[in-house]
Amino acid sequence: MTTPLIELRGVRQTYGAFTALDRLHLSLPDTAATLAIAGESGSGKTTLARIMLGFIKPSEGQVLYRGKDIATMTRTERFDFGREVQPIFQDPFNVFNPFYRVDHVLTTPLRKFGLASGADDARAKIEDALSRVGLRPKDTLGRFPHELSGGQRQRIMVARAVLLRPRLIVADEPVSMVDASLRATILDEIRDLNRDLGIAFVYITHDLTTAFQLCDDIVVLYQGRVAEAGAVEHVIGAPQHPYSQLLVSSIPLPDLSRRWGDDDMQADPAQAARTSAGCRFAPRCPQVMDRCWSADPTMTRPLPHRMLACHLDASAALQGNDVATVFSGQARPKAASASGQQGTKA
Ligand code: SF4
């Protein structure tokens, strides 16, 4: 088996008494994979993104990039990691300095990483990156951030990431602040970058619809733990975990602006008031059983590309590192879309 692109081993992140992530094992194959990390607010998905990017060191566990623990990388390895793993954030406006023209966010990384042989080469690379994300260089360069729309600013941030020819982009809710009409277009452009340039994507989202549109595989997090994971057409098309089932049943069609939890996710008030020493989802679970309140469910794999943590599944318990074989990392045909068309991945 080839070395994964990025691997989390037993990652735990605590803030005082609060556990944001718990015993997380995750492995992304080095095959230009696209992985969605999905969950509601408080699920730990943004913490996970920041740990993957090396912005925070986990309280416990290891993050390995191409087999190397990022906590013990040499200065040179860390420099390469900083180029090869790029973030895209939710709010692009915060990244721009309002006093600089937008060119600044594009020329600075080229200079920092020594990726252009001169001014002409830098200009050619910038124009190519802008064109790849659907921006016309002559309408974009020389402008100030406030002169561009939110969608244009976010596309510039995607272009900035692409300029560095990264192996992996970790995008945290990249289209949640973009006009709904532009979301699908920007996600299609990201998907094209994945296919044309072989860049892997980890897409952090609260939105299963766009997760299906963009990604091959998905991890559904609930309160810092994996509820279900596997190929998107299985997990979203036929969810097995009661939490995933509730999420899928509340997919806002056709209103993309409606968030999970607005109504369908409300629990029986008497049950919701209980606390669970076992499954964290027990207070909200419509299929809760007596043992769920006291026993934590272990991870099982009912299907080759499916893994879940629920007492309803009787398969044998997995070891943490078995997660590595859940994600196929195989791209679906381009025709697959959020409308519900299924890919051909097994
Ligand atoms: Fe529901 Fe029990 Fe499964 Fe938790 S373990 S999701 S409470 S059935």
Side-chain angles (χ1 to χ4, degrees):
M1 192 174 140
T2 56
T3 305
L5 182 61
I6 198 155
E7 186 178 3
L8 274 63
R9 291 185 183 166
V11 164
R12 191 159 189 270
Q13 182 64 38
T14 55
Y15 298 102
F18 175 70
T19 302
L21 281 178
D22 200 8
R23 296 174 293 161
L24 197 80
H25 295 266
L26 191 152
S27 178
L28 195 67
D30 198 356
T31 54
T34 48
L35 173 67
I37 309 285
E40 303 163 291
S41 302
S43 61
K45 58 189 191 301
T46 292
T47 300
L48 175 55
R50 296 178 70 78
I51 287 174
M52 275 186 174
L53 287 160
F55 292 171
I56 49 178
K57 187 174 181 298
S59 312
E60 289 175 27
Q62 288 178 296
V63 182
L64 281 77
Y65 175 70
R66 304 182 71 204
K68 294 221 168 81
D69 188 334
I70 64 172
T72 57
M73 280 180 169
T74 64
R75 201 180 161 88
T76 306
E77 289 167 344
R78 188 77 189 188
F79 187 78
D80 291 342
F81 175 79
R83 182 185 68 77
E84 293 180 14
V85 181
Q86 285 296 310
I88 298 175
F89 298 108
Q90 181 177 23
D91 182 0
F93 202 68
N94 280 343
V95 182
F96 289 95
N97 183 328
F99 300 109
Y100 286 108
R101 296 179 200 278
V102 297
D103 312 36
H104 187 70
V105 300
L106 301 167
T107 54
T108 301
L110 281 182
R111 200 177 310 119
K112 176 181 174 186
F113 291 101
L115 296 175
S117 57
D120 289 346
D121 187 34
R123 178 83 185 190
K125 285 189 161 77
I126 287 170
E127 290 187 357
D128 174 64
L130 290 172
S131 301
R132 284 185 184 279
V133 298
L135 290 173
R136 281 202 293 260
K138 71 178 176 55
D139 296 339
T140 311
L141 297 172
R143 310 277 291 273
F144 285 97
H146 69 270
E147 296 180 289
L148 301 174
S149 69
Q152 287 171 316
R153 287 194 293 264
Q154 191 58 296
R155 280 177 156 135
I156 290 173
M157 295 320 295
V158 178
R160 179 190 178 280
V162 168
L163 259 184
L164 301 178
R165 287 292 187 269
R167 284 175 173 264
L168 170 64
I169 289 179
V170 180
D172 188 0
E173 302 267 18
V175 290
S176 63
M177 296 181 72
V178 171
D179 192 284
S181 62
L182 270 179
R183 282 180 204 158
T185 309
I186 293 180
L187 291 173
D188 279 348
E189 287 161 0
I190 289 177
R191 187 80 200 180
D192 287 345
L193 295 172
N194 164 256
R195 291 171 198 277
D196 298 345
L197 302 178
I199 302 170
F201 276 87
V202 171
Y203 174 55
I204 311 291
T205 186
H206 67 274
D207 180 358
L208 285 190
T209 309
T210 56
F212 188 90
Q213 180 185 2
L214 182 64
C215 296
D216 302 316
D217 298 298
I218 187 169
V219 172
V220 178
L221 286 182
Y222 185 74
Q223 293 189 3
R225 292 205 187 157
V226 176
E228 185 164 6
V232 287
E233 63 261 38
H234 297 321
V235 173
I236 297 179
Q240 290 193 353
H241 193 285
Y243 178 55
S244 310
Q245 289 169 355
L246 278 170
L247 294 180
V248 170
S249 70
S250 67
I251 283 180
L253 292 176
D255 180 4
L256 288 174
S257 63
R258 197 180 115 199
R259 285 182 167 245
W260 296 344
D262 282 354
D263 42 36
D264 304 333
M265 303 293 292
Q266 303 309 311
D268 171 353
Q271 192 161 291
R274 295 179 66 182
T275 54
S276 173
C279 176
R280 294 179 184 196
F281 189 56
R284 296 171 69 183
C285 183
Q287 298 180 65
V288 63
M289 305 170 283
D290 285 346
R291 65 189 287 218
C292 303
W293 296 100
S294 55
D296 218 357
T298 51
M299 202 64 77
T300 58
R301 184 188 298 139
L303 294 166
H305 290 307
R306 174 81 61 98
M307 170 178 102
L308 78 155
C310 176
H311 290 308
L312 292 170
D313 185 60
S315 313
L318 294 177
Q319 300 303 309
N321 290 340
D322 287 343
V323 176
T325 59
V326 169
F327 301 123
S328 63
Q330 300 296 311
R332 287 176 296 165
K334 190 159 185 158
S337 76
S339 65
Q341 277 180 277
Q342 299 295 296
T344 58
K345 186 172 57 187

